[in-house]
Amino acid sequence: MRDSSVRSPDGLEAILLVGGQGTRLRPLTLSTPKPLLPTAGVPFLAHQLAKARAYGVRRVVFATSYRASMFAEAFGDGAGLGLEIVYVTEDTPLGTGGAIRNAARALTCPPEAPVLVLNGDILSGHDIAAQVGLHVSRGAAVTLHLTEVDDPSRFGCVPTDDDGRVTAFLEKTPNPVTNRINAGCYVFQRSVIDTIPEGQVVSVERETFPGLIAAGELVLGFADASYWLDVGTPAAFVRGSADLVLGKLGSPALPGPVGERLLLDGAVVSPEAKVTGGTVVGPRATVEAGASVRGSVLSEGCHVASGATVVDSVVGVGARVASGTVLREVVVGDGALIGPGNELTAGMRVWPGVTLPECAVRFSSDV
């Protein structure tokens, strides 16, 4: 997290978009919204909220929909985080723009004030204060965080001119004109939010931002190449958690020192087990002697038996991984049992409560 000579104004308000169902992360999100999944030992949003608080945000409006009540159960009024948190729920999904407009009724700032808008599934090391500072100094309608990626063809790209003005929003194309993409963090002038149609499904990417550009409004890009990750897939979720534990991205919410592993309350790891790569061992989880776990998330009360190998995977609450089992890039749902000698890999997902008998799934011929 970089320091900046430009500090966000104390009292800055933010909208946090957390209404999605997280379908790409199933079965993890069948019972828990994606932004509340334990990530490096705390709910994912705790990292975003701690960073926003450090940059001057004092009041956050949660734009909720899916399992909305769980957010208030997790964070309450925000006092424990040094924030004021309020909750606004969509009865029916309204898209990104509609959700922002719906949440704006709980804002208290005047029309000329900047409002930070965050997507609830992004890990980012960019300097929020500098983004807000640019927005205010240039008097922009909206300022978007743009990140640079190796393969922009997988995303819509966002070209800018030499002055930083966004010139277009381009859909996915095999020949992108820039490697900069929309990184999902915006600074809006409050009055611009109020122009979004109320109670309608609106996409900021397809409607609001292109409309502002067409109308000649100043839409700026705040581009950098700092850490950025969309944690919407199991592989990215596991990587994000591991990167936080390893210290590749700093977070004030990390509940322990950075290192090869993070052990939470009641976790039991045998001295003869090998647990590395930013692995989180959840409360009352057990890793037996001879087990090898790397870069993974072991949830509360799960059990990894002697001789098992778990790499870049998630093992759900109360799930059991038997001796001789190999998991590589796998999601094991809550309460599942992976019997001895199974070999799961390449993005396989085991639904909650499922039992795989001994050697039920193999990728190699030896047993």
Side-chain angles (χ1 to χ4, degrees):
M1 186 182 295
R2 301 196 309 272
D3 194 12
S4 173
S5 58
V6 180
R7 302 306 300 168
S8 297
D10 196 63
L12 181 68
E13 287 189 287
I15 293 173
L16 193 51
L17 302 175
V18 293
Q21 295 189 22
T23 53
R24 292 182 297 165
L25 274 169
R26 289 176 180 167
L28 299 176
T29 51
L30 290 174
S31 59
T32 303
K34 175 171 55 176
L36 296 182
L37 290 174
T39 309
V42 295
F44 177 82
L45 285 185
H47 300 289
Q48 283 193 325
L49 292 170
K51 179 179 178 178
R53 173 67 175 77
Y55 279 122
V57 172
R58 294 296 178 267
R59 190 169 186 274
V60 181
V61 181
F62 277 43
T64 66
S65 180
Y66 176 64
R67 295 190 177 272
S69 64
M70 294 184 70
F71 292 95
E73 293 169 6
F75 297 110
D77 62 4
L81 300 171
L83 295 166
E84 178 188 354
I85 297 177
V86 295
Y87 304 89
V88 176
T89 301
E90 301 169 42
D91 295 327
T92 57
L94 295 171
T96 48
I100 292 168
R101 180 66 178 88
N102 189 56
R105 54 193 169 98
L107 294 173
T108 62
C109 59
E112 67 276 8
V115 176
L116 183 68
V117 177
L118 299 165
N119 276 283
D121 55 4
I122 300 295
L123 280 176
S124 174
H126 87 286
D127 191 333
I128 293 175
Q131 182 183 355
V132 175
L134 173 67
H135 176 86
V136 173
S137 66
R138 295 282 301 276
V142 183
T143 301
L144 294 80
H145 174 214
L146 306 180
T147 192
E148 300 175 356
V149 296
D150 293 334
D151 182 13
S153 66
R154 296 170 44 235
F155 305 90
C157 61
V158 185
T160 58
D161 64 17
D162 293 340
D163 200 34
R165 181 188 287 263
V166 174
T167 57
F169 280 79
L170 304 177
E171 295 298 324
K172 297 176 184 178
T173 170
N175 298 300
V177 299
T178 177
N179 69 336
R180 290 176 177 173
I181 66 167
N182 175 11
C185 175
Y186 319 124
V187 183
F188 274 83
Q189 186 178 22
R190 166 62 194 274
S191 60
V192 173
I193 295 177
D194 292 339
T195 67
I196 298 173
E198 190 170 8
Q200 298 181 27
V201 178
V202 180
S203 166
V204 290
E205 300 87 355
R206 295 183 178 87
E207 298 172 70
T208 305
F209 297 151
L212 290 169
I213 293 169
E217 298 285 349
L218 180 58
V219 178
L220 290 177
F222 176 81
D224 76 352
S226 61
Y227 183 101
W228 181 86
L229 185 66
D230 175 350
V231 298
T233 66
F237 168 70
V238 170
R239 177 186 159 196
S241 179
D243 284 351
L244 286 162
V245 174
L246 291 167
K248 293 182 179 180
L249 174 66
S251 171
L254 188 71
V258 299
E260 288 292 317
R261 63 189 193 179
L262 173 65
L263 307 185
L264 301 181
D265 290 347
V268 178
V269 175
S270 168
E272 285 76 45
K274 188 174 183 180
V275 180
T276 61
T279 291
V280 177
V281 184
R284 296 172 296 286
T286 303
V287 183
E288 291 185 350
S292 176
V293 184
R294 184 174 77 244
S296 296
V297 176
L298 305 184
S299 303
E300 180 177 355
C302 74
H303 185 95
V304 178
S306 176
T309 299
V310 180
V311 179
D312 298 337
S313 296
V314 182
V315 180
V317 175
R320 301 182 66 84
V321 179
S323 179
T325 287
V326 176
L327 306 179
R328 298 184 187 278
E329 301 178 11
V330 171
V331 175
V332 176
D334 296 350
L337 170 60
I338 311 300
N342 281 286
E343 185 179 5
L344 310 181
T345 188
M348 293 186 70
R349 308 181 192 210
V350 179
W351 247 238
V354 168
T355 295
L356 288 183
E358 183 173 359
C359 296
V361 179
R362 299 286 297 174
F363 276 79
S364 54
S365 58
D366 60 311
V367 178

